[in-house]
């Protein structure tokens, strides 16, 4: 009947409404959480001023999260080695850089004072440790295998975030 005749139109309308719903939710979040519009470019520069981890900030409160700056560029620093005590925020820092990049490329405003980000083809992460007893692999071997896979697949346009490798 009527429903069968209008199925395509109903599906099309629901798809448009779902896109509008996502865009409205992202806009509302940006206003509520003081996110900014990132500047995207085709170079290699990644600069985040006052970057915040959106999930951690939501849990502990914005006033309890200390924002962090990040800067990587083709002409300057394109690699960083983070050191510090356990529970010092190193993993949170890595994750917020990845999340800000992902949010920006999805079209969202980002949790920062300002952000200039290169468009990346992929984001690779190796975070956390685990062994694979069934294969007889130690945590170290699993980490090395994952790192080798990242190095094989990553391109010049990839963002690679590796946490606690080869401890």
């Amino acid at each position: 009947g009527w429903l069968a005749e209008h199925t395509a139109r109903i599906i099309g309308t629901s798809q448009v409404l779902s896109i509008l719903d996502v865009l409205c939710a992202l806009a509302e979040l940006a206003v509520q959480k003081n996110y900014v519009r990132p500047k995207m470019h085709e170079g290699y520069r990644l600069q985040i001023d006052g970057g915040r981890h959106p999930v951690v900030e939501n849990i502990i409160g914005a006033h309890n999260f200390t924002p962090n700056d990040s800067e990587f560029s083709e002409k300057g620093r394109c690699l960083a080695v983070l050191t510090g005590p356990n529970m010092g925020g190193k993993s949170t820092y890595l994750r917020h850089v990845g999340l800000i990049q992902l949010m920006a490329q999805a079209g969202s405003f980002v949790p920062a004072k300002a952000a200039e980000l290169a468009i990346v083809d992929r984001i690779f992460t190796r975070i956390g440790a685990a062994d694979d007893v069934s294969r007889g692999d130690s945590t170290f071997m699993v980490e090395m295998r994952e790192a080798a896979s990242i190095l094989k697949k990553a391109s010049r346009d990839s963002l690679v975030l590796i946490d606690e490798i080869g401890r």
Side-chain angles (χ1 to χ4, degrees), residues 105-119:
Q105 283 200 220
S108 175
F109 280 31
V110 299
K113 286 183 184 174
E116 263 187 63
L117 304 167
I119 297 169

Side-chain angles (χ1 to χ4, degrees), residues 46-67:
L46 179 150
Q47 181 169 353
I48 301 169
D49 298 328
R52 308 180 313 270
H53 190 298
V55 177
V56 174
E57 179 183 60
N58 194 50
I59 293 169
I60 68 171
H63 58 283
N64 291 321
F65 190 91
T66 302

Side-chain angles (χ1 to χ4, degrees), residues 41-98:
H41 59 84
E42 294 185 20
Y44 295 97
R45 179 180 169 91
L46 179 150
Q47 181 169 353
I48 301 169
D49 298 328
R52 308 180 313 270
H53 190 298
V55 177
V56 174
E57 179 183 60
N58 194 50
I59 293 169
I60 68 171
H63 58 283
N64 291 321
F65 190 91
T66 302
N68 296 280
D69 297 339
S70 306
E71 184 174 357
F72 300 94
S73 67
E74 182 178 32
K75 293 179 183 176
R77 183 177 44 191
C78 62
L79 171 73
V81 176
L82 302 177
T83 63
N86 289 340
M87 301 301 291
K90 299 178 300 294
S91 297
T92 301
Y93 174 82
L94 284 175
R95 286 180 172 98
H96 94 258
V97 169

Side-chain angles (χ1 to χ4, degrees), residues 126 141-153 162 165:
R126 212 237 54 85
M141 185 54 70
V142 171
E143 290 173 351
M144 294 300 107
R145 186 173 285 118
E146 290 173 356
S149 176
I150 289 170
L151 292 172
K152 189 183 291 185
K153 295 174 184 174
I162 298 177
I165 189 162

